Amino acid sequence: MIQLLNSLKSGLRRTRDNLTNSLKSLIPGKKGLSEELLAEIEQVLILGDIGVNTATDIAAEIKQRFQKEKEVNYDQVVSVIKEEIHSTVDFLTHKDNGISSLKSPYVILVVGVNGTGKTTSIGKLAHYYRSEGKRVLLAAADTYRAAAIDQLEKWKDRTGVEIVKNEEGTDPAAVAFDSAQAALARDIDVLLVDTAGRIHTNVNLMNELEKIKRVIGNVIPGAPHKILLVIDANTGQNAISQARSFTGSLDVDGIFLTKLDGTAKGGVIIPIMRELKIPIEFVGIGEQKEDIKLFNIKEYLNALFA
Ligand code: GDP
Ligand code: MG
């Protein structure tokens, strides 16, 4: 585990203020379990971006569990919320993030819409793998803007890793190809491939990502080993349709959910996992290299309802 972590709890502060405080003011002490209260709880959960389906399930479970007692308090409600959410997404959370078992070079292709935080997240991943003793190489396969290449280069300097790049406007798949060859030649453990997020049309973008994927696989059989989709937590429920445009054409293995620190929409973790059936593997909780967390649903729920 990384030692330099900022806490998930502070990262989730705005979401917690939004969700938990609304629940607390709704149920200040013991409260009669009316249909009205259940509807209000459900409403708070929906406004907290937890998703309509999960909110409905939770309200039904609270009703079933406490209707005999006719009263509930905040702690009882929260424990049902936690259990219900946990059971909903638990099937996705046993994925092994074990670094020690990675075969080298392990290639991670990072995709997502412009501005979601791909390049920054690659910087954080570089720091993470590097602090685990891995030799890391970055591939600047977003060649559309010189600024994008410079930005990745800065992350290389900040994290003390290596980079493969080319001039602005060159073929991104060629950079990916070169980086895969360099990864083999230099005994790299982890290759992180940065990509562009907006190329004229969605079809072009998906074709380009397919091509990058293909050339990497031609050099390193079985690669890329992981396709990581970066999603900005601020996009709330739109994150799901955004993610679908990628999962439709690429086999996305996991999600890196960014900007959890700046949003009150951190509940969106639940519908993303539930609807897309893709695990959230990492979360971003700031702009520094240390602001990365391996996602763990238990820790998340404890931080959210602390
Ligand atoms: P890209 O276009 O997908 O490569 O996105 P960038 O990596 O350039 O990031 C876009 C903006 O989001 C930058 O200003 C980053 O500093 C910011 N950013 C990325 N991740 C996080 C995060 O976890 N928290 C915060 N607060 N900002 C982030
Ligand atoms: Mg970028």
Side-chain angles (χ1 to χ4, degrees), residues 118-119 142 145 151 194-195:
K118 289 180 297 300
T119 307
D142 177 358
R145 293 174 305 125
Q151 191 190 354
D194 195 14
T195 62

Side-chain angles (χ1 to χ4, degrees), residues 111-114 116 202 205-206 209 227-233 235-257 268-269 271-280:
V111 303
V113 168
N114 253 6
T116 50
N202 209 33
L205 174 59
M206 295 311 156
L209 293 173
I227 298 183
L228 205 52
L229 174 64
V230 177
I231 296 179
D232 176 345
T235 41
Q237 301 299 312
N238 290 333
I240 297 172
S241 50
Q242 194 184 94
R244 285 219 168 94
S245 69
F246 283 87
T247 56
S249 21
L250 289 170
D251 286 327
V252 173
D253 299 291
I255 290 166
F256 193 132
L257 190 72
V268 76
I269 278 181
I272 286 176
M273 290 177 79
R274 179 170 178 159
E275 306 302 328
L276 298 170
K277 300 189 169 48
I278 299 173
I280 290 174

Side-chain angles (χ1 to χ4, degrees), residues 51-66:
V52 176
N53 293 338
T54 305
T56 308
D57 289 353
I58 289 169
E61 185 64 25
I62 293 171
K63 181 176 181 180
Q64 211 230 323
R65 199 90 66 91
F66 300 110

Side-chain angles (χ1 to χ4, degrees), residues 93-214:
T93 58
H94 296 296
K95 230 183 140 165
D96 182 26
N97 264 313
I99 291 191
S100 50
S101 59
L102 299 184
K103 60 169 169 228
S104 299
Y106 187 79
V107 184
I108 304 180
L109 180 62
V110 178
V111 303
V113 168
N114 253 6
T116 50
K118 289 180 297 300
T119 307
T120 307
S121 300
I122 284 179
K124 294 174 184 177
L125 288 166
H127 171 65
Y128 169 53
Y129 288 114
R130 173 103 164 81
S131 50
E132 294 288 332
K134 300 294 179 189
R135 184 159 183 192
V136 179
L137 177 66
L138 310 181
D142 177 358
T143 57
Y144 286 81
R145 293 174 305 125
I149 303 168
D150 293 346
Q151 191 190 354
L152 195 68
E153 184 121 46
K154 288 204 179 82
W155 281 110
K156 172 206 86 127
D157 294 337
R158 273 183 214 131
T159 55
V161 300
E162 298 166 55
I163 194 168
V164 165
K165 58 172 186 166
N166 203 335
E167 298 300 309
E168 176 187 3
T170 53
D171 181 6
V175 175
F177 180 84
D178 290 347
S179 72
Q181 285 201 318
L184 288 175
R186 300 186 205 169
D187 265 335
I188 291 295
D189 296 310
V190 181
L191 169 61
L192 300 166
V193 184
D194 195 14
T195 62
R198 187 188 297 137
I199 309 168
H200 324 306
T201 68
N202 209 33
V203 177
N204 277 343
L205 174 59
M206 295 311 156
N207 286 343
E208 178 170 297
L209 293 173
E210 272 296 335
K211 187 176 167 197
I212 289 174
K213 190 180 150 194
R214 203 167 53 239

Side-chain angles (χ1 to χ4, degrees), residues 24 27 29 66 72-81 305:
K24 275 184 182 151
I27 323 163
F66 300 110
V72 282
N73 64 30
Y74 172 79
D75 288 340
Q76 289 171 315
V77 166
V78 163
S79 80
V80 172
I81 293 174
F305 295 102

